[in-house]
């Protein structure tokens, strides 16, 4: 064990140059495939309106308080989530067993990245499809068969998955500070602008109101839908597995954690809602199924690119930016694991990144095959889900179980296990905000997570 596990203020890693860089990096982690690829398709599968409302409530009442808690723990512990939990439990004279929370997070990040990379690969291949003019004047059926062709070809999926993993390992090996900063400063606003261009196109389809109605008119939802909405609040804000914690550990000064968290959550939510507004009018205008599943954006947006003025260019830039957004998220998914190896095993960053990257790539093969040769191999877990593919299972277990569970324990640790004085030292910039945070994270957040879990399995 390295000696630095208990000396809290010393970090073996580089620090962010200032608060803005931290906010950018955390936003880069939060905004990704979750917002643009996942949010629309799960909103579609779960009936829209009420799902969106539950998701927004979860962001406000669960997500933001837990984000504050994670940043606070990271900044105080100054190490990878595993060593941060170990150091903080020791500092606070609490049970050393809390370290497993760090381990669970590292494991969740690893599993998420394994499928995240495969989906990012889809986005990469769409850059080239769009550039080649494949979607010019295309019909909904045409777009659909282009998508089916891609996912039924394991070799192509594997190739793109490999390219994306290599890209991710490269940045992580060089240290997250270099690279992320620029990517987020310039590319994130551009992605935002392009989403607005697509929303403007969606307004011309004649079905914009129908899209709006679908997204914002409450309807039916069941316990499982509520769990998926809550799980997504964790996923989209990168919470519950230590990504934001490890970024918080590279934050040196005493800036307001609350302000940063609110900004990050806001930016993230706006991007997701814009993606929804872009996609659903196209879905309805073309008689598509809102619940079409993980292919939804790939089966809708190309129609827009095939028909709007300058659509090929807009499409190429859009998918390129989506790849960048996925990249800055992917980096944060393995940074906790890599940081741990650097701290405890004395490995250098390059070796650690390659090692973890290779393992992740290998597990990702399961997701690659689950869309084609393993399509019919499914799993059923009583009370949770039926006939899920490898990809569905991983996605469900990580986003809806592991992240909320991690978040729940982070809330309990920050609000009940740590001494009040310690959390005050980190977060007392605005006393009123601190009080609100403490109330939420002590009572509302944990109870809400537990109630949603119980409701999903039909216990209440
Ligand atoms: N928040 C990212 C997204 O929405 C995914 C992610 C989850 C990243 C967990 C880091 C940790 O795409």
């Amino acid at each position: 064990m390295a000696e630095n596990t208990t000396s809290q203020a010393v970090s073996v890693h580089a620090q962010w140059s200032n608060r803005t860089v931290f906010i950018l990096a955390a936003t880069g982690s939060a905004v990704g495939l979750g917002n643009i690829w996942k949010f629309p398709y799960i909103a579609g599968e779960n009936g829209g309106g009420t799902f969106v409302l539950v998701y927004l409530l979860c962001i406000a009442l669960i997500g933001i308080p837990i984000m504050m808690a994670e940043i606070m723990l990271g900044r105080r512990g100054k190490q990878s989530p595993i060593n941060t939990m170990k150091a903080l439990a020791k500092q606070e004279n609490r049970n050393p067993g809390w370290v497993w929370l760090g381990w669970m997070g590292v494991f969740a990040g690893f599993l998420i990245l394994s499928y995240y990379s495969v989906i990012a690969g889809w986005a990469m291949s769409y850059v080239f499809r769009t550039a080649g003019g494949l979607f010019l004047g295309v019909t909904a059926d045409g777009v659909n068969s282009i998508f089916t062709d891609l996912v039924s070809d394991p070799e192509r999926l594997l190739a793109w998955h490999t390219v994306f993993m290599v890209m991710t390992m490269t940045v992580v090996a060089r240290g997250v500070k270099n690279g992320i900063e620029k990517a987020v400063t310039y590319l994130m606003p551009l992605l935002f602008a392009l989403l607005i261009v697509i929303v403007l196109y969606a307004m011309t389809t004649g079905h914009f109101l129908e899209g709006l109605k679908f997204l914002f008119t409450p309807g039916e939802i069941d316990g499982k839908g509520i769990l998926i909405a809550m799980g997504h609040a964790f996923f989209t804000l990168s919470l519950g597995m230590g990504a934001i914690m490890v970024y918080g550990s590279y934050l040196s000064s005493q800036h307001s954690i609350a302000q940063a968290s609110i900004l990050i959550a806001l930016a993230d939510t706006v991007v997701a809602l814009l993606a929804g507004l872009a996609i659903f009018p196209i879905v309805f205008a073309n008689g598509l199924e809102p619940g079409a599943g993980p292919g939804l954006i790939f089966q809708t947006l190309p129609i827009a690119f095939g028909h709007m003025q300058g659509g090929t260019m807009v499409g190429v830039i859009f998918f390129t930016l989506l790849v960048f957004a996925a990249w800055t998220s992917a980096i944060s998914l393995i940074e906790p694991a890599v940081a741990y190896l650097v701290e405890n095993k004395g490995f250098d960053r390059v070796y650690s990144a390659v090692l973890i990257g290779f393992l992740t790539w290998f597990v990702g093969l399961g997701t690659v095959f689950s869309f084609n040769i393993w399509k019919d191999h499914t799993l059923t877990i009583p009370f949770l889900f039926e006939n899920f593919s490898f990809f569905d299972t991983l996605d469900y277990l990580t986003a809806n179980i592991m992240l909320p569970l991690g978040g729940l324990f982070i809330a309990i640790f920050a609000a009940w296990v740590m001494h009040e004085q310690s959390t005050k030292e980190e977060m007392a910039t605005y006393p009123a905000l601190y009080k609100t945070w403490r109330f939420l994270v002590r009572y509302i957040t944990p109870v809400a997570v537990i109630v949603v879990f119980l409701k999903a399995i039909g216990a209440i």
Side-chain angles (χ1 to χ4, degrees):
M1 215 64 20
E3 334 53 73
N4 63 13
T5 48
T6 49
S7 56
Q8 40 115 8
V10 187
S11 171
V12 295
H13 310 285
Q15 303 282 303
W16 305 117
S17 6
N18 56 51
R19 185 183 83 123
T20 316
V21 179
F22 165 72
I23 293 183
L24 287 172
T27 309
S29 165
V31 175
L33 294 172
N35 308 62
I36 293 170
W37 158 74
K38 191 171 180 190
F39 171 72
Y41 95 76
I42 55 175
E45 284 180 337
N46 290 284
T50 309
F51 178 89
V52 176
L53 189 71
V54 175
Y55 152 79
L56 291 174
L57 276 175
C58 290
I59 295 279
L61 296 179
I62 302 178
I64 296 178
I66 291 185
M67 181 175 289
M68 291 170 61
E70 261 202 65
I71 300 175
M72 185 265 292
L73 296 183
R75 187 163 78 178
R76 217 172 156 75
K78 290 261 173 288
Q79 298 163 76
S80 72
I82 295 173
N83 288 329
T84 284
M85 289 314 299
K86 192 188 278 170
L88 292 182
K90 184 159 182 190
Q91 248 179 58
E92 303 283 324
N93 279 322
R94 301 297 191 186
N95 189 329
W98 279 97
V99 67
W100 70 260
L101 185 52
W103 280 106
M104 185 174 79
V106 164
F107 188 53
F110 165 78
L111 293 180
I112 293 175
L113 183 59
S114 79
Y115 67 80
Y116 201 85
S117 164
V118 177
I119 312 292
W122 297 0
M124 268 196 276
S125 87
Y126 268 64
V127 172
F128 296 93
R129 276 147 204 263
T130 316
L134 205 58
F135 299 120
L136 284 174
V138 80
T139 60
D141 276 348
V143 176
N144 190 23
S145 71
I146 292 170
F147 177 72
T148 316
D149 273 355
L150 171 70
V151 294
S152 48
D153 183 346
E155 281 165 26
R156 242 185 300 168
L157 294 190
L158 182 60
W160 287 116
H161 165 53
T162 310
V163 173
F164 188 79
M165 277 312 303
V166 170
M167 283 166 54
T168 303
M169 285 188 285
T170 310
V171 175
V172 176
R174 297 180 55 209
V176 292
K177 231 189 101 186
N178 317 318
I180 287 195
E181 201 171 324
K182 282 188 206 77
V184 185
T185 321
Y186 301 106
L187 302 179
M188 208 58 83
L190 200 56
L191 177 66
F192 194 78
L194 273 198
L195 272 173
I196 291 180
V197 170
I198 308 173
V199 172
L200 290 177
Y201 168 82
M203 287 180 172
T204 68
T205 59
H207 289 71
F208 192 69
L209 280 183
E210 210 175 325
L212 259 186
K213 234 201 223 144
F214 180 79
L215 276 174
F216 298 110
T217 317
E220 302 262 301
I221 194 161
D222 59 6
K224 294 211 164 56
I226 295 177
L227 175 63
I228 296 172
M230 178 179 80
H232 188 64
F234 282 93
F235 185 88
T236 192
L237 293 178
S238 307
L239 297 178
M241 50 73 54
I244 293 293
M245 199 187 290
V246 82
Y247 278 11
S249 78
Y250 306 150
L251 184 64
S252 47
S253 45
Q254 291 285 330
H255 291 291
S256 162
I257 290 178
Q259 238 179 11
S261 304
I262 292 170
L263 270 174
I264 298 163
L266 241 144
D268 187 80
T269 308
V270 172
V271 172
L273 293 178
L274 280 178
L277 286 178
I279 285 160
F280 286 106
I282 304 176
V283 168
F284 296 119
N286 291 281
L288 299 167
E289 215 7 85
L296 190 67
I297 66 161
F298 300 98
Q299 290 159 318
T300 49
L301 295 184
I303 303 180
F305 303 141
H307 292 269
M308 69 165 89
Q309 278 280 326
T312 299
M313 197 163 83
V314 174
V316 170
I317 303 176
F318 174 82
F319 283 120
T320 309
L321 293 174
L322 182 58
V323 172
F324 270 101
W327 199 6
T328 53
S329 299
I331 290 162
S332 72
L333 279 163
I334 52 165
E335 178 62 15
V338 172
Y340 172 77
L341 288 185
V342 172
E343 286 162 8
N344 279 44
K345 305 281 174 213
F347 297 165
D348 63 18
R349 286 197 68 94
V350 177
Y351 182 76
S352 311
V354 172
L355 183 69
I356 307 266
F358 177 75
L359 292 174
T360 316
W361 173 86
F362 185 75
V363 177
L365 297 184
T367 293
V368 164
F369 298 144
S370 72
F371 292 99
N372 35 71
I373 51 184
W374 287 359
K375 212 172 170 173
D376 302 320
H377 293 293
T378 58
L379 185 76
T380 296
I381 298 188
F383 301 109
L384 287 182
F385 53 76
E386 272 169 39
N387 296 327
F388 268 21
S389 68
F390 183 89
F391 158 73
D392 295 329
T393 306
L394 263 194
D395 172 47
Y396 197 96
L397 291 181
T398 51
N400 303 336
I401 312 284
M402 292 176 86
L403 298 186
L405 215 54
L408 172 66
F409 283 104
I410 286 169
I412 293 174
F413 187 84
W416 293 96
V417 175
M418 277 177 87
H419 297 101
E420 187 173 5
Q421 190 47 38
S422 314
T423 54
K424 247 196 193 139
E425 276 168 29
E426 295 292 330
M427 307 216 289
T429 329
Y430 300 103
L433 271 179
Y434 176 76
K435 282 214 177 87
T436 318
W437 170 77
R438 193 162 162 85
F439 175 76
L440 285 173
V441 90
R442 256 173 109 78
Y443 304 105
I444 308 299
T445 309
V447 172
V449 175
I450 293 170
V451 167
V452 174
F453 272 141
L454 292 178
K455 206 161 166 50
I457 58 168
I460 50 172

